[in-house]
Amino acid sequence: MASMTKYARSPRPQGSGFELASWFYMRVSGAILSLMIVFHLMWMHYVIGLNNITFDVIAGRWTDPNVGTLWRTFDLVLLILALVHGINGTRFALEDYIHNRGWRVFAKTLLFVVFFFVIIAGAYVIFTFNG
Amino acid sequence: MSATNSPRGFLAKTISYKGGIGHWSWILHRLGGLGIAAFLILHILDIFMVGVSKEAFEALLFIYHAAIIRPFIWALLFGVFYHAFNGIRIIIQDFWPHMFKYQKQMATAVWIIVLVLVIPLIGIDIMNLLTHG
């Protein structure tokens, strides 16, 4: 990983292995996430308003008989796409800055463990919440 | 191992390097991305509290309600919108390399789009705070 590559931020990795799949994932998920996150932020700030967020607002959107499943699906897709994008992006930074192999493996292991539990926790509450 | 391999060497090189607007975009994109990833962990955990109890969730609602936290929310808003639209610029350049000659124009367009979207959101947040004073 060249952290100081001039201009071209991230040339497409050669071959067809994990790094190429990772390169495509960041771009495809990034394009989808851009649309979803703009919607998410506009909704929470404009439509609801930060100071109007309460337990009942969140519970209401997940348990709504008409659109509850749609909201849970939206939140689940956002959760998974964003966190996997975040893990992979953080991995790029760790690989750029940690040159000692042992520390790099340690940092990446910690990264995967933390994000794994966060994804499980997020998905768990989306699937099991019942008011 | 060059000087860029130590954090201090990297910082010095980052600040002094004259890579132009693309270089600053790269720095903001990475810093924003790392900041967003860190916030996501907090955000998922606070939403997880919805499943624990109403009291547990409301104990953390100051994150979205308190005036003192609001500037951090605005920094985050800017970071998210910048990362999203700069990311779209990167996608355009990577998949359509002939667009690279418009890098500067697109980098400027990213700033305009981000500010046009973020500034009204900050205004709404301030109005929202005032009406709940």
Side-chain angles (χ1 to χ4, degrees):
Chain A
M1 290 278 161
S3 59
M4 280 296 160
T5 309
K6 195 178 182 187
Y7 297 126
R9 178 184 160 276
S10 42
R12 185 186 307 214
Q14 299 298 306
S16 57
F18 175 77
E19 289 304 334
L20 183 63
S22 146
W23 187 91
F24 271 107
Y25 176 78
M26 292 311 265
R27 280 146 189 80
V28 173
S29 66
I32 299 167
L33 279 167
S34 296
L35 298 174
M36 291 182 81
I37 205 66
V38 167
F39 173 78
H40 174 70
L41 291 173
M42 293 289 182
W43 187 270
M44 299 313 290
H45 287 251
Y46 273 120
V47 180
I48 293 179
L50 289 189
N51 290 85
N52 303 324
I53 298 172
T54 60
F55 177 85
D56 293 335
V57 166
I58 307 299
R61 97 182 202 169
W62 278 347
T63 55
D64 187 287
N66 298 314
V67 289
T69 306
L70 200 62
W71 273 120
R72 287 188 206 235
T73 307
F74 179 87
D75 289 342
L76 186 70
V77 172
L78 190 57
L79 169 81
I80 293 170
L81 285 182
L83 282 169
V84 175
H85 190 102
I87 294 174
N88 205 35
T90 308
R91 179 179 70 86
F92 293 159
L94 295 179
E95 288 177 349
D96 278 353
Y97 306 133
I98 305 180
H99 295 271
N100 178 293
R101 192 174 183 279
W103 284 115
R104 191 166 64 238
V105 170
F106 172 77
K108 281 160 73 171
T109 304
L110 190 66
L111 174 76
F112 288 121
V113 169
V114 168
F115 274 78
F116 177 77
F117 278 107
V118 171
I119 291 179
I120 296 298
Y124 176 83
V125 73
I126 290 171
F127 277 115
T128 62
F129 184 76
N130 54 19
Chain B
M1 289 271 172
S2 70
T4 56
N5 289 336
S6 73
R8 190 177 297 171
F10 172 76
L11 193 67
K13 194 103 177 177
T14 296
I15 291 168
S16 64
Y17 179 67
K18 302 288 189 291
I21 196 167
H23 175 64
W24 290 108
S25 300
W26 185 89
I27 293 173
L28 261 183
H29 198 78
R30 169 151 291 182
L31 285 179
L34 292 172
I36 295 161
F39 173 76
L40 275 181
I41 294 174
L42 172 71
H43 190 44
I44 305 307
L45 294 180
D46 79 59
I47 296 300
F48 178 77
M49 293 303 164
V50 170
V52 174
S53 71
K54 183 172 179 167
E55 292 71 28
F57 178 67
E58 289 181 341
L60 292 175
L61 267 179
F62 71 93
I63 299 169
Y64 307 105
H65 289 179
I68 194 103
I69 310 282
R70 210 44 68 90
F72 294 97
I73 299 274
W74 295 334
L76 186 69
L77 268 183
F78 171 78
V80 170
F81 277 93
Y82 187 83
H83 197 86
F85 288 97
N86 192 56
I88 290 172
R89 179 181 67 81
I90 292 167
I91 292 169
I92 292 171
Q93 290 175 186
D94 282 349
F95 285 106
W96 295 278
H98 65 277
M99 292 298 286
F100 214 89
K101 59 179 176 285
Y102 301 114
Q103 188 198 27
K104 279 187 181 169
Q105 290 90 326
M106 287 196 291
T108 307
V110 166
W111 274 97
I112 293 170
I113 294 167
V114 168
L115 292 177
V116 163
L117 288 172
V118 168
I119 290 171
L121 277 181
I122 292 176
I124 286 282
D125 287 350
I126 293 173
M127 298 288 286
N128 200 231
L129 263 182
L130 293 176
T131 53
H132 284 77

